[in-house]
Structures are given as structure tokens and as C-alpha cells.
């Protein structure tokens, strides 16, 4: 879903401000550590 920069699946992701807000909202360290398990 977050790779849908063109907004084909999720139209709101066309807006760079929306993508930036999502990037700021995600806790990357926790997400990556959970994925490495």
C-alpha cells in the first residue's frame, strides 16, 4: 500500500504531504526490529 505512489490503489497516496505524514507517523526502528524476527 505505501508503495502506491501513483495512487492507483489508495488515491490519497498521490499527495506527497500524505506520504510524508505517514513516514513521520511510523516507528521505523520498532517496525524493522519486528520484521527481523
Amino acid at each position: 500500500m505505501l508503495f502506491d505512489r501513483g495512487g492507483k490503489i489508495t488515491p490519497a497516496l498521490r499527495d506527497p504531504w500524505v506520504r510524508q505524514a505517514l513516514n513521520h507517523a511510523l516507528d521505523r526502528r520498532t517496525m524493522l526490529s519486528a520484521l527481523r524476527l
Side-chain angles (χ1 to χ4, degrees):
M1 180 176 82
L2 291 178
F3 299 107
D4 182 29
R5 293 178 121 183
K8 291 181 182 177
I9 299 170
T10 309
L13 291 178
R14 277 189 214 132
D15 186 354
W17 291 101
V18 172
R19 293 193 309 268
Q20 184 179 23
L22 287 171
N23 283 326
H24 286 286
L26 294 175
D27 182 2
R28 290 177 187 257
R29 285 186 183 155
T30 302
M31 185 173 62
L32 289 175
S33 67
L35 291 173
R36 289 183 188 151
L37 295 176

